[in-house]
Amino acid sequence: MGKTSDAALITRVGVQRLIEVLTARGYQVIGPTVRNGAIGYDAIAGIGDFPVGWTDEQDGGHYRLRRRDDAAFFGYAVGPHSWKRYLHPPRLRLWRAQRSGDEMRIIDEDDEPPRYAFIGVRACELNAIAIQDKVFLGGPYVDPHYRSRREAIFTVAVNCAVAGGTCFCASMGTGPKVEAGFDLALTEIVHDGEHRFLVEPGTDFGAQVLAELPYRPAPPADIDTARAIVERTAQSMGREMPATDVPALLRRNLEHSRWDDVAERCLTCGNCTMVCPTCFCTSVEDETDLSGTMATRTRRWDSCFTMDFSYIHGGSVRSSTRARYRQWMTHKLSTWVEQFGTSGCVGCGRCISWCPVGIDITEEVRVLHEDECDGDDS
Amino acid sequence: MARRRRKPRLAVWKFASCDGCQLSLLDCEDELLAVADALEIAYFPEASRGEIRGTYDLSLVEGSITTAHDAARIQDVRRRSCRLVTIGACATAGGIQALRNFADVEAFISVVYANRAYIQTLATSTPIADHVGVDFELQGCPINKRQLLEVITAFLSGRRPTIPSHSVCIECKLKGNVCIMVAHGTPCLGPVTHAGCGALCPSYNRGCYGCYGPMETPNTRALSEWLQSLGMTPGDLLRVYRKFYANAAAFRTESKRHDP
């Protein structure tokens, strides 16, 4: 965690320099940028690639870019992409096998991923990465592909100055203030004088990189301003997870009629699992060539909303929409805790915004919760 | 694996269709020699007049059944085929010509043809699976040539083809596309449509037209309600479902809900 005594101030020039320093150190710098009507994460060369002066309007099944009245770099919530795309790629070739005569030779992949520097990682996203760390690195079976990417990253976090319409990190205890898991943390101060950024190092390496930037020590007033910005964000969340023991609530309601209700609305399209920064499931696909001499094994993102996902001999275990939605939500919010010691949800709101029909995970929990509360009253 | 004594024989059959799916095989320019090397192309009138009569290890069937003659012919094709794979919207769902299923064919005939006496047609256009057993159905209007190669390759190696039947949305997300329905408000059939095209239209900011038919568990009713909130009228909804896959059960049922 950044110590306030180490806090520094940089300007836009300093952020540009940060990108240059990281690039010079061999990192591929990934950050927010406007792509096809949304703020996604992609390779960036300089501050001109940032979504300068843009923000996002979000609601269930709804996302629109909107102009801000300033030139903020990070004045938006989170977009359709998450860092999962880089740490746990959508498709990954695992190995190939070549046959010659009666011999078969396994050809290992040279999985040498780029060293990524992530700029603009939010508190919810740091928590999502920490959750995926538990999934991929925590048990006896470590995922080498995730590890090689994860261990090499340089993380520049950003404290949220705005909350999106579907954000609920405050009620999940996962934001909006970044607490851990970063090399440098920025807080953007865009009003109130000069456009500037409070920088707090989270690691020694982060402090080394900061030392290469044109900075000045942060005055106490700016530290207070930065704190006030994050506190205001915490007060303006668009959504809220009900303040109750959600894992136990769901365990008690596995046969609630609400699952039938949501099944009428759910498209089983899988979008929620694809945009979720913690959903980690994959399928393995084998391909062969026409001559039958080369086979390729590829891993790709899969979703518990597909029929193939739970297919075993004879059919799919979870063939109804009710069973699939319940599986996803109870895993995310309840059984995940038993499995990994933490909720699988960080309150980023992506599953709400990017659901084509606006199904709201906080609303589904609220209905179950209020139904129990009503029962207590009677 | 022991080498086969002879190459498996491939036949490509045409019923009521536009030939576009058969062309997907000829469109495999780089892989065509490998296909010909692995299979004996024994019957393929679109490509060659040469014909080897008898039985076939793999039959690819394009087109739907629209005449009594074709209804009898598909029985013969089935008898002569070890494996029968239907390709495309016509063969798997009846195709665009299944629009006749919602109308009066006699009325069409009187408008289109000068002399009705020469026209012998059924009142419906139906998929091959309504008439004979089918081993695998490859969706698409037209089919994707990569998927066709996967089906042929899987047949050759005796494995199940890797042809996911989930939504187009998953293809969009794997590619990193921004959802055009959520971010632009563009109506899109992707959430109820079978994957396979590689999310072609949404990748170019066009809503999915449903060219690959219904996905495995399509919730068309819920999508329609959302599309109406985006401004589509019942007439619009009738037309979006009543296209290439008009006769596929999920789209047929949904279009009827919006048919005045």
Short mmCIF file of all heavy atoms in Angstrom, two decimals, chain A residues 35-36 60 63-64 81 85 91 263-269 271 274-275 285-286 288-290 306-308 324 353-354 356-357, chain B residues 34-35 153 157 159-160 162 164 166-167 169-170 173-176 178 181-185 191 205 215-217 219 222-223 226:
data_model
loop_
_atom_site.label_atom_id
_atom_site.label_comp_id
_atom_site.label_asym_id
_atom_site.label_seq_id
_atom_site.Cartn_x
_atom_site.Cartn_y
_atom_site.Cartn_z
N ARG A 35 -12.64 2.69 -28.57
CA ARG A 35 -12.70 1.77 -29.70
C ARG A 35 -14.16 1.48 -30.00
O ARG A 35 -14.86 0.90 -29.18
CB ARG A 35 -12.03 0.43 -29.34
CG ARG A 35 -10.53 0.44 -29.32
CD ARG A 35 -9.94 0.21 -30.73
NE ARG A 35 -8.49 0.11 -30.66
CZ ARG A 35 -7.66 1.16 -30.57
NH1 ARG A 35 -8.14 2.38 -30.57
NH2 ARG A 35 -6.36 0.97 -30.51
N ASN A 36 -14.61 1.90 -31.14
CA ASN A 36 -15.95 1.54 -31.63
C ASN A 36 -17.06 1.83 -30.61
O ASN A 36 -17.87 0.97 -30.30
CB ASN A 36 -15.97 0.06 -32.03
CG ASN A 36 -17.12 -0.23 -32.99
OD1 ASN A 36 -17.66 0.70 -33.60
ND2 ASN A 36 -17.51 -1.47 -33.09
N GLY A 60 -28.53 -1.22 -17.08
CA GLY A 60 -28.73 -2.60 -17.50
C GLY A 60 -28.86 -2.70 -19.02
O GLY A 60 -29.77 -2.10 -19.60
N TYR A 63 -24.90 1.02 -22.63
CA TYR A 63 -23.60 1.69 -22.48
C TYR A 63 -23.51 2.74 -23.59
O TYR A 63 -23.74 2.42 -24.77
CB TYR A 63 -22.47 0.67 -22.64
CG TYR A 63 -21.07 1.24 -22.55
CD1 TYR A 63 -20.28 1.06 -21.41
CD2 TYR A 63 -20.51 1.96 -23.61
CE1 TYR A 63 -19.00 1.57 -21.33
CE2 TYR A 63 -19.23 2.49 -23.54
CZ TYR A 63 -18.47 2.28 -22.39
OH TYR A 63 -17.19 2.80 -22.32
N ARG A 64 -23.21 3.96 -23.23
CA ARG A 64 -22.99 5.00 -24.24
C ARG A 64 -21.82 5.87 -23.81
O ARG A 64 -21.70 6.22 -22.63
CB ARG A 64 -24.22 5.90 -24.39
CG ARG A 64 -25.43 5.26 -25.01
CD ARG A 64 -25.26 4.92 -26.50
NE ARG A 64 -26.52 4.41 -27.02
CZ ARG A 64 -26.96 3.16 -26.85
NH1 ARG A 64 -26.22 2.28 -26.20
NH2 ARG A 64 -28.12 2.79 -27.34
N HIS A 81 -14.09 -4.50 -21.84
CA HIS A 81 -12.93 -5.39 -21.68
C HIS A 81 -12.47 -5.41 -20.24
O HIS A 81 -12.68 -4.47 -19.50
CB HIS A 81 -11.75 -4.93 -22.54
CG HIS A 81 -12.05 -4.92 -24.01
ND1 HIS A 81 -11.40 -4.11 -24.89
CD2 HIS A 81 -12.93 -5.64 -24.73
CE1 HIS A 81 -11.86 -4.32 -26.11
NE2 HIS A 81 -12.80 -5.24 -26.03
N ARG A 85 -8.38 -10.47 -20.43
CA ARG A 85 -8.04 -10.68 -21.83
C ARG A 85 -6.54 -10.87 -22.06
O ARG A 85 -6.11 -11.58 -22.97
CB ARG A 85 -8.51 -9.40 -22.55
CG ARG A 85 -8.71 -9.51 -23.90
CD ARG A 85 -9.55 -8.53 -24.64
NE ARG A 85 -9.62 -9.16 -25.91
CZ ARG A 85 -10.53 -10.06 -26.22
NH1 ARG A 85 -11.50 -10.33 -25.41
NH2 ARG A 85 -10.48 -10.65 -27.37
N ARG A 91 -8.14 -17.21 -26.47
CA ARG A 91 -7.70 -18.44 -27.15
C ARG A 91 -6.21 -18.61 -26.92
O ARG A 91 -5.44 -17.64 -27.00
CB ARG A 91 -7.92 -18.35 -28.66
CG ARG A 91 -9.34 -18.49 -29.10
CD ARG A 91 -9.41 -18.49 -30.63
NE ARG A 91 -10.74 -18.09 -31.06
CZ ARG A 91 -11.73 -18.95 -31.19
NH1 ARG A 91 -11.55 -20.22 -30.93
NH2 ARG A 91 -12.92 -18.53 -31.60
N ALA A 263 -35.11 -17.06 -15.53
CA ALA A 263 -34.93 -17.94 -16.69
C ALA A 263 -35.79 -17.49 -17.87
O ALA A 263 -35.46 -17.73 -19.02
CB ALA A 263 -35.27 -19.38 -16.31
N GLU A 264 -36.91 -16.82 -17.59
CA GLU A 264 -37.74 -16.31 -18.69
C GLU A 264 -37.05 -15.16 -19.41
O GLU A 264 -37.28 -14.93 -20.59
CB GLU A 264 -39.09 -15.84 -18.15
CG GLU A 264 -40.01 -17.00 -17.81
CD GLU A 264 -41.42 -16.54 -17.55
OE1 GLU A 264 -41.75 -15.37 -17.84
OE2 GLU A 264 -42.20 -17.37 -17.05
N ARG A 265 -36.19 -14.43 -18.68
CA ARG A 265 -35.52 -13.27 -19.27
C ARG A 265 -34.15 -13.62 -19.84
O ARG A 265 -33.68 -12.99 -20.79
CB ARG A 265 -35.36 -12.17 -18.22
CG ARG A 265 -36.68 -11.49 -17.84
CD ARG A 265 -36.50 -10.57 -16.64
NE ARG A 265 -36.46 -11.33 -15.40
CZ ARG A 265 -35.61 -11.12 -14.40
NH1 ARG A 265 -34.70 -10.18 -14.50
NH2 ARG A 265 -35.64 -11.86 -13.31
N CYS A 266 -33.47 -14.60 -19.22
CA CYS A 266 -32.08 -14.90 -19.59
C CYS A 266 -32.01 -15.51 -20.98
O CYS A 266 -32.77 -16.40 -21.32
CB CYS A 266 -31.48 -15.86 -18.56
SG CYS A 266 -29.81 -16.41 -19.00
N LEU A 267 -31.04 -15.01 -21.79
CA LEU A 267 -30.88 -15.49 -23.17
C LEU A 267 -29.89 -16.66 -23.25
O LEU A 267 -29.69 -17.20 -24.34
CB LEU A 267 -30.39 -14.35 -24.06
CG LEU A 267 -31.23 -13.07 -24.06
CD1 LEU A 267 -30.56 -12.01 -24.94
CD2 LEU A 267 -32.64 -13.33 -24.54
N THR A 268 -29.24 -17.02 -22.17
CA THR A 268 -28.16 -18.03 -22.14
C THR A 268 -27.11 -17.76 -23.21
O THR A 268 -26.51 -18.68 -23.76
CB THR A 268 -28.69 -19.48 -22.30
OG1 THR A 268 -29.31 -19.63 -23.59
CG2 THR A 268 -29.66 -19.85 -21.20
N CYS A 269 -26.88 -16.47 -23.49
CA CYS A 269 -25.93 -16.10 -24.54
C CYS A 269 -24.49 -16.17 -24.05
O CYS A 269 -23.56 -16.25 -24.85
CB CYS A 269 -26.24 -14.70 -25.06
SG CYS A 269 -26.23 -13.43 -23.78
N ASN A 271 -22.83 -13.76 -22.39
CA ASN A 271 -22.11 -12.48 -22.32
C ASN A 271 -21.61 -12.14 -20.92
O ASN A 271 -20.51 -11.63 -20.75
CB ASN A 271 -23.02 -11.35 -22.81
CG ASN A 271 -22.99 -11.20 -24.32
OD1 ASN A 271 -21.94 -10.97 -24.90
ND2 ASN A 271 -24.13 -11.36 -24.96
N MET A 274 -18.39 -13.85 -20.17
CA MET A 274 -17.28 -13.37 -20.99
C MET A 274 -16.73 -12.04 -20.48
O MET A 274 -15.52 -11.82 -20.48
CB MET A 274 -17.73 -13.19 -22.45
CG MET A 274 -18.20 -14.45 -23.13
SD MET A 274 -16.86 -15.55 -23.62
CE MET A 274 -17.36 -17.05 -22.80
N VAL A 275 -17.64 -11.15 -20.04
CA VAL A 275 -17.18 -9.83 -19.59
C VAL A 275 -16.76 -9.84 -18.13
O VAL A 275 -16.06 -8.92 -17.68
CB VAL A 275 -18.25 -8.73 -19.79
CG1 VAL A 275 -18.54 -8.53 -21.27
CG2 VAL A 275 -19.53 -9.01 -19.02
N GLU A 285 -10.20 -27.55 -27.21
CA GLU A 285 -10.63 -28.02 -28.52
C GLU A 285 -9.46 -28.65 -29.26
O GLU A 285 -8.36 -28.10 -29.28
CB GLU A 285 -11.19 -26.84 -29.34
CG GLU A 285 -12.48 -26.29 -28.75
CD GLU A 285 -13.03 -25.10 -29.52
OE1 GLU A 285 -12.26 -24.48 -30.29
OE2 GLU A 285 -14.23 -24.80 -29.35
N ASP A 286 -9.71 -29.81 -29.84
CA ASP A 286 -8.70 -30.48 -30.63
C ASP A 286 -9.05 -30.37 -32.11
O ASP A 286 -10.20 -30.58 -32.49
CB ASP A 286 -8.60 -31.96 -30.25
CG ASP A 286 -7.98 -32.15 -28.87
OD1 ASP A 286 -7.26 -31.24 -28.42
OD2 ASP A 286 -8.23 -33.19 -28.24
N THR A 288 -7.64 -31.52 -36.11
CA THR A 288 -6.68 -32.31 -36.87
C THR A 288 -6.64 -31.77 -38.27
O THR A 288 -7.53 -31.02 -38.68
CB THR A 288 -7.11 -33.79 -36.91
OG1 THR A 288 -8.51 -33.85 -37.22
CG2 THR A 288 -6.88 -34.47 -35.57
N ASP A 289 -5.61 -32.12 -39.02
CA ASP A 289 -5.60 -31.68 -40.41
C ASP A 289 -6.13 -32.80 -41.31
O ASP A 289 -6.37 -33.92 -40.86
CB ASP A 289 -4.20 -31.20 -40.83
CG ASP A 289 -3.19 -32.33 -40.89
OD1 ASP A 289 -3.54 -33.46 -40.48
OD2 ASP A 289 -2.06 -32.08 -41.33
N LEU A 290 -6.34 -32.47 -42.58
CA LEU A 290 -6.98 -33.42 -43.49
C LEU A 290 -6.17 -34.69 -43.68
O LEU A 290 -6.72 -35.76 -43.85
CB LEU A 290 -7.22 -32.73 -44.85
CG LEU A 290 -8.41 -31.77 -44.89
CD1 LEU A 290 -8.28 -30.82 -46.06
CD2 LEU A 290 -9.72 -32.55 -44.99
N THR A 306 -23.43 -22.43 -21.73
CA THR A 306 -23.57 -23.27 -22.93
C THR A 306 -23.96 -24.69 -22.52
O THR A 306 -23.70 -25.13 -21.41
CB THR A 306 -22.26 -23.34 -23.75
OG1 THR A 306 -21.30 -24.12 -23.04
CG2 THR A 306 -21.69 -21.96 -24.02
N MET A 307 -24.59 -25.39 -23.46
CA MET A 307 -24.99 -26.78 -23.21
C MET A 307 -23.76 -27.69 -23.13
O MET A 307 -23.72 -28.63 -22.34
CB MET A 307 -25.93 -27.26 -24.31
CG MET A 307 -27.29 -26.60 -24.29
SD MET A 307 -28.31 -27.19 -22.92
CE MET A 307 -29.08 -28.60 -23.72
N ASP A 308 -22.77 -27.40 -23.97
CA ASP A 308 -21.57 -28.24 -23.99
C ASP A 308 -20.84 -28.21 -22.66
O ASP A 308 -20.16 -29.16 -22.29
CB ASP A 308 -20.60 -27.76 -25.09
CG ASP A 308 -20.84 -28.49 -26.40
OD1 ASP A 308 -21.63 -29.45 -26.40
OD2 ASP A 308 -20.25 -28.09 -27.41
N ARG A 324 -28.86 -23.15 -15.30
CA ARG A 324 -27.59 -22.53 -15.71
C ARG A 324 -27.41 -21.16 -15.06
O ARG A 324 -26.32 -20.82 -14.62
CB ARG A 324 -27.52 -22.45 -17.24
CG ARG A 324 -27.04 -23.77 -17.83
CD ARG A 324 -27.00 -23.75 -19.33
NE ARG A 324 -28.28 -24.17 -19.88
CZ ARG A 324 -28.68 -23.95 -21.11
NH1 ARG A 324 -27.90 -23.30 -21.94
NH2 ARG A 324 -29.85 -24.37 -21.52
N SER A 353 -24.28 -4.24 -17.32
CA SER A 353 -24.24 -3.37 -18.50
C SER A 353 -24.25 -4.16 -19.80
O SER A 353 -24.89 -3.76 -20.77
CB SER A 353 -22.98 -2.49 -18.48
OG SER A 353 -22.99 -1.61 -17.40
N TRP A 354 -23.50 -5.27 -19.83
CA TRP A 354 -23.29 -5.97 -21.11
C TRP A 354 -24.22 -7.16 -21.29
O TRP A 354 -24.10 -7.90 -22.28
CB TRP A 354 -21.82 -6.34 -21.27
CG TRP A 354 -21.00 -5.09 -21.26
CD1 TRP A 354 -20.33 -4.56 -20.19
CD2 TRP A 354 -20.82 -4.16 -22.34
NE1 TRP A 354 -19.75 -3.35 -20.54
CE2 TRP A 354 -20.03 -3.09 -21.86
CE3 TRP A 354 -21.27 -4.13 -23.67
CZ2 TRP A 354 -19.68 -1.99 -22.66
CZ3 TRP A 354 -20.91 -3.04 -24.48
CH2 TRP A 354 -20.13 -1.99 -23.96
N PRO A 356 -27.35 -8.40 -22.77
CA PRO A 356 -28.16 -7.79 -23.84
C PRO A 356 -29.57 -7.42 -23.39
O PRO A 356 -30.22 -6.60 -24.04
CB PRO A 356 -28.20 -8.88 -24.93
CG PRO A 356 -27.05 -9.77 -24.65
CD PRO A 356 -26.86 -9.74 -23.15
N VAL A 357 -30.06 -8.06 -22.31
CA VAL A 357 -31.41 -7.73 -21.84
C VAL A 357 -31.37 -7.18 -20.40
O VAL A 357 -32.40 -7.16 -19.72
CB VAL A 357 -32.37 -8.94 -21.94
CG1 VAL A 357 -32.63 -9.26 -23.41
CG2 VAL A 357 -31.82 -10.17 -21.24
N ALA B 34 -5.73 -31.06 -50.72
CA ALA B 34 -5.67 -31.94 -49.55
C ALA B 34 -6.98 -32.71 -49.40
O ALA B 34 -6.98 -33.89 -49.03
CB ALA B 34 -5.37 -31.14 -48.29
N VAL B 35 -8.10 -32.04 -49.70
CA VAL B 35 -9.40 -32.72 -49.64
C VAL B 35 -9.42 -33.84 -50.68
O VAL B 35 -9.79 -34.99 -50.38
CB VAL B 35 -10.56 -31.73 -49.90
CG1 VAL B 35 -11.89 -32.48 -50.07
CG2 VAL B 35 -10.67 -30.72 -48.76
N THR B 153 -12.81 -33.19 -41.83
CA THR B 153 -11.62 -33.68 -41.12
C THR B 153 -12.03 -34.57 -39.95
O THR B 153 -11.42 -35.61 -39.71
CB THR B 153 -10.78 -32.49 -40.62
OG1 THR B 153 -10.54 -31.61 -41.71
CG2 THR B 153 -9.46 -32.96 -40.07
N SER B 157 -11.09 -38.56 -39.29
CA SER B 157 -10.38 -39.09 -38.13
C SER B 157 -11.33 -39.73 -37.12
O SER B 157 -10.92 -40.09 -36.02
CB SER B 157 -9.53 -37.99 -37.47
OG SER B 157 -10.29 -36.84 -37.29
N ARG B 159 -13.86 -38.58 -35.31
CA ARG B 159 -14.15 -37.87 -34.07
C ARG B 159 -15.35 -36.93 -34.29
O ARG B 159 -15.78 -36.72 -35.42
CB ARG B 159 -12.94 -37.07 -33.59
CG ARG B 159 -12.49 -36.01 -34.56
CD ARG B 159 -11.31 -35.18 -34.03
NE ARG B 159 -10.82 -34.30 -35.07
CZ ARG B 159 -11.35 -33.12 -35.36
NH1 ARG B 159 -12.38 -32.67 -34.68
NH2 ARG B 159 -10.86 -32.37 -36.33
N ARG B 160 -15.83 -36.40 -33.17
CA ARG B 160 -16.95 -35.47 -33.22
C ARG B 160 -16.45 -34.12 -33.75
O ARG B 160 -15.42 -33.64 -33.28
CB ARG B 160 -17.49 -35.33 -31.79
CG ARG B 160 -18.71 -34.48 -31.64
CD ARG B 160 -19.05 -34.38 -30.14
NE ARG B 160 -20.03 -33.34 -29.92
CZ ARG B 160 -20.22 -32.72 -28.76
NH1 ARG B 160 -19.48 -33.06 -27.72
NH2 ARG B 160 -21.13 -31.79 -28.63
N THR B 162 -15.80 -30.25 -34.00
CA THR B 162 -15.81 -29.14 -33.04
C THR B 162 -16.57 -27.99 -33.67
O THR B 162 -16.00 -27.11 -34.31
CB THR B 162 -14.37 -28.73 -32.69
OG1 THR B 162 -13.69 -29.89 -32.20
CG2 THR B 162 -14.36 -27.66 -31.60
N PRO B 164 -19.26 -25.51 -32.19
CA PRO B 164 -20.07 -25.08 -31.04
C PRO B 164 -21.44 -24.57 -31.48
O PRO B 164 -21.56 -23.92 -32.53
CB PRO B 164 -19.25 -23.94 -30.43
CG PRO B 164 -17.87 -24.08 -30.98
CD PRO B 164 -18.03 -24.71 -32.33
N HIS B 166 -23.33 -22.65 -29.40
CA HIS B 166 -23.70 -21.53 -28.53
C HIS B 166 -24.00 -20.28 -29.36
O HIS B 166 -24.01 -20.33 -30.59
CB HIS B 166 -22.60 -21.28 -27.49
CG HIS B 166 -21.24 -21.05 -28.09
ND1 HIS B 166 -20.98 -20.05 -28.99
CD2 HIS B 166 -20.07 -21.71 -27.92
CE1 HIS B 166 -19.71 -20.09 -29.34
NE2 HIS B 166 -19.13 -21.09 -28.71
N SER B 167 -24.18 -19.16 -28.67
CA SER B 167 -24.58 -17.92 -29.34
C SER B 167 -23.43 -17.30 -30.13
O SER B 167 -22.26 -17.58 -29.90
CB SER B 167 -25.04 -16.90 -28.29
OG SER B 167 -23.94 -16.50 -27.49
N CYS B 169 -22.80 -14.29 -29.67
CA CYS B 169 -22.21 -13.37 -28.67
C CYS B 169 -20.84 -13.87 -28.20
O CYS B 169 -19.92 -13.08 -28.01
CB CYS B 169 -23.12 -13.23 -27.46
SG CYS B 169 -24.73 -12.52 -27.84
N ILE B 170 -20.74 -15.16 -28.00
CA ILE B 170 -19.46 -15.69 -27.49
C ILE B 170 -18.36 -15.48 -28.53
O ILE B 170 -17.22 -15.14 -28.18
CB ILE B 170 -19.63 -17.16 -27.06
CG1 ILE B 170 -20.48 -17.20 -25.78
CG2 ILE B 170 -18.27 -17.85 -26.84
CD1 ILE B 170 -20.72 -18.58 -25.19
N LYS B 173 -17.31 -11.89 -28.20
CA LYS B 173 -16.52 -11.63 -27.00
C LYS B 173 -15.11 -12.21 -27.14
O LYS B 173 -14.14 -11.61 -26.69
CB LYS B 173 -17.22 -12.20 -25.77
CG LYS B 173 -18.48 -11.42 -25.36
CD LYS B 173 -18.14 -10.02 -24.89
CE LYS B 173 -19.35 -9.24 -24.38
NZ LYS B 173 -20.21 -8.75 -25.47
N LEU B 174 -14.98 -13.38 -27.76
CA LEU B 174 -13.65 -13.95 -27.96
C LEU B 174 -12.80 -13.02 -28.83
O LEU B 174 -11.60 -12.88 -28.64
CB LEU B 174 -13.73 -15.34 -28.60
CG LEU B 174 -14.35 -16.46 -27.75
CD1 LEU B 174 -14.47 -17.75 -28.56
CD2 LEU B 174 -13.53 -16.72 -26.49
N LYS B 175 -13.46 -12.37 -29.81
CA LYS B 175 -12.75 -11.46 -30.70
C LYS B 175 -12.44 -10.11 -30.05
O LYS B 175 -11.65 -9.34 -30.58
CB LYS B 175 -13.58 -11.18 -31.96
CG LYS B 175 -13.68 -12.36 -32.91
CD LYS B 175 -14.58 -12.04 -34.09
CE LYS B 175 -13.83 -11.38 -35.23
NZ LYS B 175 -14.69 -11.30 -36.46
N GLY B 176 -13.13 -9.82 -28.94
CA GLY B 176 -12.94 -8.52 -28.30
C GLY B 176 -13.84 -7.44 -28.88
O GLY B 176 -13.62 -6.25 -28.64
N VAL B 178 -16.83 -4.85 -29.33
CA VAL B 178 -17.75 -4.11 -28.46
C VAL B 178 -19.16 -4.49 -28.88
O VAL B 178 -19.48 -4.51 -30.08
CB VAL B 178 -17.52 -2.59 -28.62
CG1 VAL B 178 -18.60 -1.80 -27.89
CG2 VAL B 178 -16.13 -2.21 -28.13
N MET B 181 -25.26 -3.89 -29.73
CA MET B 181 -26.61 -3.69 -29.20
C MET B 181 -26.54 -2.85 -27.93
O MET B 181 -27.29 -1.90 -27.76
CB MET B 181 -27.30 -5.03 -28.92
CG MET B 181 -28.78 -4.86 -28.65
SD MET B 181 -29.78 -6.21 -29.23
CE MET B 181 -29.49 -7.42 -27.97
N VAL B 182 -25.59 -3.19 -27.05
CA VAL B 182 -25.47 -2.46 -25.78
C VAL B 182 -24.87 -1.07 -26.01
O VAL B 182 -25.36 -0.09 -25.45
CB VAL B 182 -24.61 -3.27 -24.79
CG1 VAL B 182 -24.25 -2.43 -23.57
CG2 VAL B 182 -25.34 -4.54 -24.36
N ALA B 183 -23.82 -0.98 -26.82
CA ALA B 183 -23.09 0.29 -26.93
C ALA B 183 -23.61 1.21 -28.03
O ALA B 183 -23.36 2.41 -27.99
CB ALA B 183 -21.60 0.02 -27.16
N HIS B 184 -24.30 0.65 -29.02
CA HIS B 184 -24.80 1.50 -30.11
C HIS B 184 -26.33 1.50 -30.19
O HIS B 184 -26.90 2.29 -30.93
CB HIS B 184 -24.28 1.02 -31.48
CG HIS B 184 -22.78 0.93 -31.58
ND1 HIS B 184 -22.14 0.50 -32.72
CD2 HIS B 184 -21.79 1.20 -30.71
CE1 HIS B 184 -20.83 0.50 -32.53
NE2 HIS B 184 -20.59 0.92 -31.31
N GLY B 185 -26.96 0.53 -29.52
CA GLY B 185 -28.42 0.41 -29.64
C GLY B 185 -28.86 -0.24 -30.94
O GLY B 185 -30.01 -0.10 -31.36
N PRO B 191 -27.65 -12.91 -29.82
CA PRO B 191 -27.88 -13.71 -28.61
C PRO B 191 -28.71 -14.98 -28.84
O PRO B 191 -28.65 -15.89 -28.02
CB PRO B 191 -28.63 -12.74 -27.68
CG PRO B 191 -28.26 -11.38 -28.14
CD PRO B 191 -28.09 -11.51 -29.63
N ASN B 205 -20.17 -3.68 -37.33
CA ASN B 205 -21.21 -2.79 -36.81
C ASN B 205 -22.59 -3.01 -37.42
O ASN B 205 -23.40 -2.08 -37.48
CB ASN B 205 -20.81 -1.31 -36.96
CG ASN B 205 -19.69 -0.94 -36.01
OD1 ASN B 205 -19.48 -1.61 -35.00
ND2 ASN B 205 -18.94 0.10 -36.34
N MET B 215 -29.55 -20.70 -32.02
CA MET B 215 -28.54 -21.37 -31.21
C MET B 215 -29.20 -22.48 -30.40
O MET B 215 -30.41 -22.70 -30.52
CB MET B 215 -27.78 -20.37 -30.32
CG MET B 215 -28.63 -19.45 -29.49
SD MET B 215 -29.11 -20.11 -27.87
CE MET B 215 -27.79 -19.49 -26.84
N GLU B 216 -28.41 -23.16 -29.58
CA GLU B 216 -28.89 -24.39 -28.92
C GLU B 216 -30.11 -24.16 -28.02
O GLU B 216 -31.02 -24.99 -27.99
CB GLU B 216 -27.74 -24.99 -28.10
CG GLU B 216 -27.12 -24.00 -27.11
CD GLU B 216 -25.79 -24.46 -26.56
OE1 GLU B 216 -25.23 -25.45 -27.05
OE2 GLU B 216 -25.30 -23.79 -25.62
N THR B 217 -30.13 -23.06 -27.27
CA THR B 217 -31.25 -22.80 -26.36
C THR B 217 -31.71 -21.35 -26.54
O THR B 217 -31.49 -20.50 -25.68
CB THR B 217 -30.84 -23.02 -24.89
OG1 THR B 217 -29.65 -22.27 -24.62
CG2 THR B 217 -30.56 -24.49 -24.60
N ASN B 219 -33.72 -18.01 -26.52
CA ASN B 219 -34.84 -17.37 -25.83
C ASN B 219 -35.30 -16.19 -26.68
O ASN B 219 -35.01 -15.03 -26.37
CB ASN B 219 -34.42 -16.93 -24.42
CG ASN B 219 -35.60 -16.46 -23.59
OD1 ASN B 219 -36.69 -16.24 -24.11
ND2 ASN B 219 -35.38 -16.30 -22.30
N ALA B 222 -37.70 -13.38 -25.04
CA ALA B 222 -37.07 -12.35 -24.21
C ALA B 222 -36.30 -11.35 -25.07
O ALA B 222 -36.32 -10.14 -24.81
CB ALA B 222 -36.14 -12.99 -23.18
N LEU B 223 -35.64 -11.86 -26.10
CA LEU B 223 -34.90 -10.93 -26.98
C LEU B 223 -35.87 -10.00 -27.69
O LEU B 223 -35.62 -8.80 -27.81
CB LEU B 223 -34.05 -11.70 -27.99
CG LEU B 223 -33.25 -10.79 -28.94
CD1 LEU B 223 -32.18 -9.99 -28.18
CD2 LEU B 223 -32.60 -11.58 -30.06
N TRP B 226 -36.89 -7.08 -25.72
CA TRP B 226 -35.82 -6.08 -25.64
C TRP B 226 -35.72 -5.30 -26.96
O TRP B 226 -35.55 -4.09 -26.98
CB TRP B 226 -34.49 -6.74 -25.30
CG TRP B 226 -33.46 -5.74 -24.88
CD1 TRP B 226 -32.51 -5.17 -25.66
CD2 TRP B 226 -33.29 -5.16 -23.57
NE1 TRP B 226 -31.75 -4.29 -24.93
CE2 TRP B 226 -32.21 -4.26 -23.65
CE3 TRP B 226 -33.95 -5.33 -22.36
CZ2 TRP B 226 -31.77 -3.53 -22.55
CZ3 TRP B 226 -33.52 -4.59 -21.26
CH2 TRP B 226 -32.44 -3.71 -21.36
#
